[in-house]
Amino acid sequence: SSGINAEWPLRPGKYHPDKNPDDETASDKFKEIGEAYEILADDDKRKTYDRHGEEGVKKMNQGGGHDPFANFFGHFGFGSQEEEQREHKGSDVVIDLYVTLEELYLGNFVTVIRNLPVYKETSGTRQCNCRMEMKTHMMGPGSFQMTQHRVCDNCPALKLVTETEELDLEIEPGMVDGMTQKFSGKGEPHMEGENGDLYFQVKTARHDTFERIGDNLYTNVTVSLQEALVGFDMTLNHLDGHGVPVKREKVTWPGATIVKKGEGMPSFDDRNKLGNLYITFDVKFPRGELSAEDKDSIRKILHQENVQTAYNGI
């Protein structure tokens, strides 16, 4: 026993309706005191109240009602003796699922092997379902005592074992980093409750060609100095294998960017809507020496004046 030991007088005569004709609540108080005495005087009802509160007594009587002690002892922190049992649950588990841009573009189904820890019964017993209960004791006419103590049940002993399970995940087109897929009850176990949940969180693996920002794709294409000057015609392989034509007839300078509309990623909310593809060009200059004749030819072709200007490019 611990903590809470007290006596309270119950005076039914004080609240008798005949003595309180002007008090509309006297009849209800008188009835509540009578119900409290009825519970305290009956060993079975008192034990039921100690364990399950007013709800348990109500079920015994197969009727409705309210807690006859609540109005008298609620301010002591007791209220109803029906103690809310805490719902135990194991920890949730979050696992990063790295997926390719191809999978996020087209969608895919993947199978993941989950080594799940589970509790299995073994020999022996253990304490379980521990809780605090109130005990009531008649101390004399018009008074009783309530004590609080810890009560546990005996349950089979448990041991942790590992089970292997296959989980099927769907990668939907257009999913973005941080989206999760939930598997209820596949998280960490708890000895006295349910397993936690398992979440797979989407993470985009690095791609050699494309970078995704929102629903747009970005890539860099390197062309030779000759191609930059005279133009070029090429095909860029997309995530699903289709070709994106890239043709330039104008001069292409380093850092120039073109936009291919509708060649980005599908929107998760509307798969008929596609982002854009942004292509930025790099120019690869030749190495080595040019002859004096070649230099003169270039000057004649370009007709450019010398431009040597310093500036802050950061």
Side-chain angles (χ1 to χ4, degrees):
S1 299
S2 65
I4 302 173
N5 295 278
E7 295 184 13
W8 298 276
L10 297 179
R11 303 183 179 90
K14 177 181 178 181
Y15 296 104
H16 196 285
D18 293 343
K19 294 184 177 182
N20 300 272
D22 298 326
D23 187 352
E24 296 180 357
T25 66
S27 179
D28 291 336
K29 292 178 180 178
F30 185 80
K31 180 181 178 182
E32 289 169 358
I33 294 174
E35 291 175 353
Y37 270 119
E38 181 182 349
I39 292 173
L40 294 172
D42 187 306
D43 289 341
D44 291 336
K45 287 185 178 180
R46 186 171 63 191
K47 290 178 181 178
T48 300
Y49 185 87
D50 290 338
R51 183 71 179 273
H52 303 291
E54 190 269 339
E55 186 67 23
V57 177
K58 184 170 63 177
K59 289 181 179 178
M60 286 184 65
N61 296 331
Q62 294 296 313
H66 57 279
D67 188 346
F69 294 102
N71 289 339
F72 296 101
F73 311 115
H75 61 283
F76 286 100
F78 300 152
S80 170
Q81 289 300 305
E82 181 183 3
E83 181 179 323
E84 292 186 7
Q85 296 297 317
R86 179 184 175 188
E87 293 185 3
H88 297 287
K89 186 178 181 181
S91 299
D92 293 338
V93 176
V94 180
I95 297 177
D96 289 338
L97 179 68
Y98 284 90
V99 295
T100 65
L101 273 180
E102 285 84 357
E103 291 174 312
L104 294 172
Y105 186 82
L106 295 169
N108 193 21
F109 289 90
V110 296
T111 299
V112 176
I113 304 299
R114 165 69 168 155
N115 294 321
L116 180 66
V118 295
Y119 282 109
K120 296 289 186 179
E121 291 188 9
T122 186
S123 58
T125 60
R126 63 183 177 88
Q127 286 189 334
C128 63
N129 301 324
C130 294
R131 59 203 176 273
M132 300 304 296
E133 290 188 356
M134 303 300 299
K135 291 290 185 180
T136 54
H137 310 277
M138 291 292 295
M139 302 300 295
S143 67
F144 65 94
Q145 184 184 60
M146 301 184 75
T147 59
Q148 184 182 39
H149 61 121
R150 187 170 183 264
V151 177
C152 297
D153 297 329
N154 284 324
C155 294
L158 301 174
K159 64 178 181 180
L160 268 178
V161 298
T162 301
E163 294 183 348
T164 300
E165 185 176 4
E166 291 187 353
L167 303 176
D168 294 322
L169 292 85
E170 181 181 5
I171 302 169
E172 299 182 62
M175 292 184 78
V176 298
D177 285 0
M179 286 186 172
T180 59
Q181 185 166 347
K182 177 182 177 182
F183 289 85
S184 298
K186 302 301 181 182
E188 292 298 315
H190 195 288
M191 294 186 69
E192 297 186 11
E194 299 178 351
N195 286 7
D197 300 323
L198 172 63
Y199 296 86
F200 286 97
Q201 182 173 258
V202 171
K203 295 283 187 179
T204 304
R206 178 176 173 78
H207 197 274
D208 291 336
T209 303
F210 299 103
E211 182 71 23
R212 179 187 186 181
I213 301 178
D215 289 336
N216 296 322
L217 288 175
Y218 296 79
T219 190
N220 284 62
V221 171
T222 301
V223 297
S224 67
L225 177 58
Q226 177 178 301
E227 290 172 319
L229 293 174
V230 304
F232 57 89
D233 191 351
M234 64 172 291
T235 299
L236 181 65
N237 289 326
H238 209 288
L239 295 169
D240 62 348
H242 81 271
V244 179
V246 180
K247 185 176 181 179
R248 291 280 293 176
E249 294 181 350
K250 299 178 180 180
V251 173
T252 302
W253 60 93
T257 300
I258 63 173
V259 181
K260 292 289 185 177
K261 293 185 177 181
E263 291 289 359
M265 295 293 293
S267 170
F268 180 78
D269 297 322
D270 183 0
R271 297 178 187 177
N272 294 320
K273 182 180 179 181
L274 298 170
N276 298 325
L277 170 61
Y278 292 81
I279 305 173
T280 299
F281 295 100
D282 304 315
V283 179
K284 184 177 181 180
F285 282 74
R287 293 179 179 274
E289 296 292 333
L290 294 175
S291 66
E293 184 179 334
D294 289 338
K295 292 178 181 179
D296 288 338
S297 298
I298 292 173
R299 290 189 185 99
K300 291 177 181 179
I301 293 172
L302 296 179
H303 296 292
Q304 282 187 317
E305 296 181 359
N306 293 334
V307 178
Q308 292 135 16
T309 304
Y311 70 100
N312 186 345
I314 298 177

